[in-house]
Amino acid sequence: MLLMGTEREIFVTTANKITVTRLLLIPVFITLAAYYSRSIAEGAEVVGFRIAALAVYAIASLSDAIDGYIARHYNQQTPFGQALDPVADKLLLLSGVIILSVTQWHVGLPIWFAALVIARDVIIITGVLIIKHVAGKIEMGPLWTSKVCTFLQLSCVVWILLDFWSKNDRPLPLDLLIFSAAGFTLVSGLQYILEGIRQLRESGHTHPPAT
């Protein structure tokens, strides 16, 4: 009984609770952003929804640094947390990209940008699953282009959340940022595809079996 209690305490650490909270904040952000969009469409903009959406997204983003610090400095790193943390980060970023593309904010992201981001992630996840199934293992760490890609994508989301002044057209610096993020999204996606093909070739699974 004592052992079960100890295992439960290790599994549900403070760091893991913060990560789970970040996941739960995602639908809250989406709901607030959607209500703000509807208020614009109805011609009665409610800025409070936008401020609340910004606050929730900021808290969720900051929680990533907090749970990481707690996990490292208080010996709370668990397999559950190591698996869930990047998933929560990715879902938070995707929720921002998608909701700011499909809703009617004054200035948002183009739909093609959201489609590109989603397509890249789907291709990478599919590739990882295929390689792991076929080759039995995968050796693919984050590329520097992928880190830049994530930073630029997040910068696009944050810019739009903070831009209370642009009402009709996106400012030129934001357009440049979006195209830069799109470029790194495309390049990093192609790099992952080429790396996946290389690993499949080296494992000998790209040719038919000898007869």
Side-chain angles (χ1 to χ4, degrees):
M1 214 40 205
L2 180 60
L3 179 61
M4 291 178 62
T6 303
E7 290 177 348
R8 188 178 296 111
E9 290 176 1
I10 294 174
F11 182 73
V12 187
T13 62
T14 300
N16 288 346
K17 289 178 180 178
I18 294 174
T19 304
V20 171
T21 301
R22 182 156 72 257
L23 276 172
L24 296 177
L25 286 176
I26 293 174
V28 177
F29 163 72
I30 292 174
T31 301
L32 291 169
Y35 271 112
Y36 175 66
S37 172
R38 189 174 74 173
S39 72
I40 294 175
E42 292 175 349
E45 179 181 355
V46 181
V47 180
F49 285 134
R50 178 172 189 155
I51 295 174
L54 171 60
V56 169
Y57 200 87
I59 292 171
S61 299
L62 289 174
S63 72
D64 180 33
I66 295 173
D67 64 14
Y69 175 84
I70 291 175
R72 290 190 301 271
H73 288 78
Y74 294 95
N75 194 27
Q76 293 188 11
Q77 292 178 319
T78 64
F80 172 75
Q82 290 173 340
L84 186 64
D85 186 68
V87 172
D89 293 344
K90 178 57 67 175
L91 290 178
L92 179 63
L93 178 56
L94 282 176
S95 69
V97 170
I98 294 172
I99 198 69
L100 295 178
S101 299
V102 300
T103 54
Q104 298 181 24
W105 284 49
H106 291 299
V107 172
L109 292 168
I111 293 179
W112 63 261
F113 180 75
L116 177 63
V117 172
I118 294 171
R120 171 190 178 271
D121 290 341
V122 169
I123 290 172
I124 291 175
I125 293 172
T126 303
V128 168
L129 294 175
I130 291 174
I131 295 172
K132 197 165 186 179
H133 174 73
V134 173
K137 64 176 182 177
I138 183 168
E139 299 174 358
M140 192 175 295
L143 305 171
W144 74 269
T145 52
S146 179
K147 294 180 180 180
V148 174
C149 166
T150 300
F151 173 77
L152 292 176
Q153 290 175 1
L154 182 59
S155 298
C156 291
V157 173
V158 172
W159 183 310
I160 292 173
L161 290 175
L162 291 174
D163 188 356
F164 285 79
W165 302 275
S166 301
K167 296 297 183 181
N168 298 314
D169 299 317
R170 282 188 297 270
L172 178 60
L174 176 56
D175 274 334
L176 294 176
L177 179 61
I178 291 172
F179 281 106
S180 297
F184 274 94
T185 299
L186 183 60
V187 169
S188 61
L190 291 175
Q191 285 182 314
Y192 276 118
I193 291 173
L194 294 175
E195 175 62 19
I197 293 174
R198 183 190 68 78
Q199 291 192 32
L200 284 174
R201 283 178 177 171
E202 290 184 356
S203 65
H205 291 87
T206 55
H207 303 286
T211 56

